[in-house]
Amino acid sequence: MNEPALILILGDQLTPDRGAMKDARPGTDTIVMAEVREEAEYVPHNRHKIALVFAAMRHFRDELRSRGFTVLYFDYEQGKRSLLEALAAGLQACDAAVVKCCEPGEFRLLCALQQWQLSVPLQIVEDDRFLATREEFSRWAQGRKQLRMEYFYRLMRRKHGLLLADDGTPEGGKWNYDSLNRQGWRGKRDIPVRPPASIDRITAEVLELVMREFPQNPGDLSQFYLGVTAAQAMEHFNWFLEHALGDFGQYQDALAEESPWLFHSLVSMYINIGLLDPLRVCREVERAWRDGKCDLAAAEGFIRQVLGWREYVRGIYWLAMPEYGERNGLGAHRPLPQWFWTGDSDLRCLQSALRQTLDLGYAHHIQRLMVIGNFALLAGLDVEQVCDWYLAVYVDAFEWVELPNTLGMALHADDGLMASKPYAASGKYIQRQGNHCKQCPYSPAKITGAGACPFNSLYWHFIDRHLHQFRANPRMALAVRNWERKAEPERAAILEWGEAELARLAPGP
Ligand code: FAD
Ligand code: DLZ
């Protein structure tokens, strides 16, 4: 098509030559980008996320201009309410015969786009930044009784030739080395200190804007730590390869008092907004292993997260939306406690995970899943409210990845589509994985009575509440048996204690 196009680039589509930018022609096509109220306000996003998105958009605009593109850019102060409003202004300013936009990552925005009445046709382009297409995932899922990430991951390993020996078998003889990646944190390693963010004039202006315009949102911008260009994101990733990947595997599931990020990569936000390419990061990690910079379990563990889990959750999202977002399979409706927005919990693990989440917009996977998510699951917090909270507080949160992880993996509200059993655990798990319990007023060794860790009674309360469902799930058989084996008076005492903890920690309406 030779007609000039107006290309709309969203704040999480910052990759040249991909999506709607593929085949874009400087001098012929015009780009439009806009910081708009609707996108900035649909949840109370963490300020770090808004700052990242706006600063990265502004740097991307300049990069496109330096490549010869005309970019119409509406910054937040120009007061555009919606992307549609910005697009309409863009169409007035150029003679485009078609509008192009890469498919958005959130269902709500895709629906909005499809309703737009424009003066020229709208062409929605496939998002080709993923390692599996939506069709590929649907085809794989079709006819399967149960979807399991592990099998999809193996398909992806073969498709992209990652960590394969010459004969096509998995390196080391196994597809998955997860069992080696579960060490708890006992403070035996130095945790490397991450280099600070480099803040130029554009980023400084954005930080000021976000502080001014979003006074009620979470996020302590005095601690801004993010890269905002592809080059900076790559520097952060290279730092990870050099200083953290070696310990990433064994401490992947660890919980530490000393650090919000331990040896994690902190790259999800860059991959999600298009500053880093998921295949490239996988290949670099494979290369680091082949160069002897980390062991196979670390490399495989990392690659499985990006190539396996990340693609898998996206597949589930598009396969099951919009009905997926309505699911609440365990009937969880207890209101989200106010302290989720302050971090004021006297449980040390929750306090740590919540405070860093609110201040930095970051928590690693085990904090999201086994501390905050586990509490929400055991307490039966309202699924929709919890999902909205997760979408708001993390810098890397976009619904295609946030929703299946929260609703499916953490809250088991999707009737087992994501995971065959709930990720439910007592205080003993949290104690095993790290050193928070040493600083906590509660003891993971006690189930009831003063000083008992609330995760313990809440765990059994949860099992008891859903006994009927769990009896039908072979993967829950052990938990059910352990509960039923307890003497009736003990069960009654645990349930009574659990009730009291619920009333204290998550009071009803
Ligand atoms: P690392 O631990 O270093 O892992 C490497 C990379 O693997 C990540 O950068 C990410 O790209 C990918 N990855 C790992 N696990 C997952 C996963 N389960 N799903 C998708 N990608 C994964 N991730 C998001 O990107 N956005 C979200 O909104 C989000 N919400 C989550 C909510 C819950 C309840 C849970 C349990 C997990 C969520 N995750 C989300 C997945 C995961 O926790 C984050 O990707 C990870 O913590 C980001 O930190 P990192 O870059 O240091 O990851
Ligand atoms: C997250 C975000 C924010 C805070 N602001 C904007 C914006 O002003 N303009 C924009 O184009 N994109 C923004 N984004 C990213 C979008 O919310 C994202 O593209 C959709 O949620 C689809 O994934």
Side-chain angles (χ1 to χ4, degrees):
M1 200 166 28
N2 293 320
E3 301 149 317
L6 180 62
I7 301 176
L8 173 65
I9 302 290
L10 303 176
D12 56 350
Q13 299 178 343
L14 309 180
T15 317
D17 312 320
R18 291 289 183 93
M21 288 301 295
K22 202 170 167 179
D23 308 322
R25 301 149 301 177
T28 305
D29 300 327
T30 304
I31 315 293
V32 59
M33 300 174 75
E35 300 166 11
V36 298
R37 262 61 184 168
E38 263 183 16
E39 291 308 305
E41 291 174 2
Y42 70 93
V43 285
H45 299 284
N46 196 298
R47 290 186 195 131
H48 287 277
K49 177 178 175 186
I50 306 176
L52 168 70
V53 170
F54 286 4
M57 283 173 74
R58 292 181 186 197
H59 282 92
F60 190 66
R61 166 200 65 197
D62 293 351
E63 184 189 333
L64 293 180
R65 282 180 181 156
S66 73
R67 289 175 180 223
F69 283 103
T70 301
V71 184
L72 303 171
Y73 194 94
F74 299 96
D75 61 31
Y76 201 72
E77 285 96 338
Q78 284 167 270
K80 289 275 175 274
R81 266 231 67 76
S82 65
L83 292 165
L84 178 58
E85 205 180 305
L87 203 51
L91 281 169
Q92 299 261 310
C94 68
D95 61 350
V98 64
V99 167
K100 280 193 191 178
C101 180
C102 174
E103 58 189 4
E106 301 199 346
F107 192 82
R108 65 167 179 95
L109 193 53
L110 178 63
C111 293
L113 237 82
Q114 287 165 340
Q115 310 282 317
W116 284 350
Q117 305 284 325
L118 301 171
S119 54
V120 298
L122 170 67
Q123 191 186 333
I124 299 177
V125 177
E126 183 185 7
D127 192 342
D128 56 358
R129 293 172 300 162
F130 288 88
L131 306 180
T133 64
R134 283 167 53 182
E135 287 64 38
E136 204 173 356
F137 187 87
S138 304
R139 242 182 293 121
W140 173 80
Q142 220 165 29
R144 278 170 198 263
K145 266 214 224 125
Q146 261 199 338
L147 304 184
R148 288 295 157 252
M149 193 285 294
E150 182 63 27
Y151 299 109
F152 178 70
Y153 164 58
R154 292 178 191 180
L155 185 76
M156 289 292 104
R157 284 266 295 274
R158 289 199 182 97
K159 174 180 171 184
H160 293 284
L162 279 157
L163 291 181
L164 296 182
D166 289 343
D167 64 357
T169 57
E171 285 289 6
K174 288 198 325 183
W175 290 101
N176 183 317
Y177 292 88
D178 205 23
S179 58
L180 301 177
N181 287 346
R182 293 185 190 137
Q183 253 190 60
W185 180 249
R186 301 285 170 262
K188 296 227 169 94
R189 275 271 199 289
D190 288 337
I191 302 169
V193 179
R194 290 175 195 254
S198 77
I199 297 176
D200 63 7
R201 184 187 51 78
I202 294 177
T203 306
E205 278 172 14
V206 167
L207 293 177
E208 242 173 67
L209 163 85
V210 176
M211 281 193 277
R212 194 173 60 244
E213 297 285 342
F214 301 92
Q216 305 301 330
N217 293 39
D220 173 8
L221 286 186
S222 69
Q223 301 186 57
F224 190 71
Y225 58 100
L226 296 162
V228 296
T229 63
Q232 288 173 0
M234 190 44 95
E235 271 173 39
H236 286 222
F237 177 63
N238 283 333
W239 182 93
F240 164 72
L241 290 177
E242 196 60 39
H243 301 282
L245 175 62
D247 287 308
F248 168 82
Q250 56 180 333
Y251 295 120
Q252 202 178 341
D253 286 0
L255 293 163
E257 277 287 306
E258 298 88 328
S259 165
W261 17 67
L262 271 164
F263 304 97
H264 288 271
S265 65
L266 272 72
V267 294
S268 50
M269 57 300 263
Y270 305 133
I271 304 179
N272 294 353
I273 69 170
L275 298 184
L276 280 183
D277 174 44
L279 189 55
R280 171 139 187 225
V281 301
C282 290
R283 294 219 187 283
E284 295 285 339
V285 166
E286 174 169 6
R287 193 203 319 230
W289 168 65
R290 293 197 186 279
D291 290 349
K293 292 189 174 150
C294 66
D295 60 24
L296 181 56
E300 189 281 316
F302 182 92
I303 289 171
R304 177 160 22 91
Q305 306 309 316
V306 177
L307 181 71
W309 280 111
R310 187 171 183 274
E311 296 292 326
Y312 183 74
V313 299
R314 176 180 186 249
I316 296 266
Y317 180 78
W318 288 110
L319 194 68
M321 279 300 275
E323 165 272 331
Y324 194 78
E326 307 288 314
R327 290 202 195 184
N328 192 342
L330 295 175
H333 293 294
R334 194 170 274 273
L336 188 81
Q338 181 52 29
W339 50 264
F340 264 62
W341 293 104
T342 61
D344 292 339
S345 166
D346 58 356
L347 278 75
R348 183 67 176 199
C349 55
L350 269 169
Q351 183 193 81
S352 278
L354 288 172
R355 287 197 177 158
Q356 73 173 70
T357 294
L358 296 166
D359 287 347
L360 303 169
Y362 180 83
H364 61 71
H365 190 68
I366 291 303
Q367 293 176 304
R368 296 189 207 199
L369 183 66
M370 300 309 296
V371 179
I372 305 173
N374 187 27
F375 179 82
L377 172 74
L378 301 186
L381 299 187
D382 183 79
V383 171
E384 195 180 337
Q385 289 180 23
V386 175
C387 292
D388 284 352
W389 182 85
Y390 272 91
L391 189 59
V393 294
Y394 291 108
V395 273
D396 57 15
F398 296 92
E399 200 187 62
W400 65 266
V401 53
E402 174 275 328
L403 192 69
N405 270 304
T406 310
L407 186 149
M409 198 186 305
L411 303 181
H412 203 69
D414 65 355
D415 308 301
L417 185 61
M418 269 286 286
S420 53
K421 79 190 250 296
Y423 283 92
S426 70
K428 291 223 172 76
Y429 172 87
I430 293 168
Q431 180 186 36
R432 198 167 54 240
Q433 292 313 116
N435 55 0
H436 291 310
C437 299
K438 286 192 178 149
Q439 310 290 325
C440 186
Y442 299 104
S443 163
K446 286 181 78 176
I447 305 179
T448 58
C453 171
F455 275 103
N456 291 339
S457 55
L458 291 181
Y459 174 79
W460 291 120
H461 196 281
F462 170 74
I463 299 291
D464 188 74
R465 274 197 321 272
H466 301 291
L467 208 50
H468 182 66
Q469 261 160 295
F470 295 162
R471 276 204 193 104
N473 181 347
R475 296 207 61 209
M476 291 304 282
L478 185 64
V480 168
R481 218 177 314 125
N482 286 342
W483 177 237
E484 290 183 326
R485 224 187 255 148
K486 290 186 194 294
E488 173 52 32
E490 190 188 354
R491 286 210 301 259
I494 294 174
L495 291 180
E496 194 185 332
W497 193 262
E499 269 306 314
E501 290 292 36
L502 276 178
R504 180 175 73 89
L505 295 168

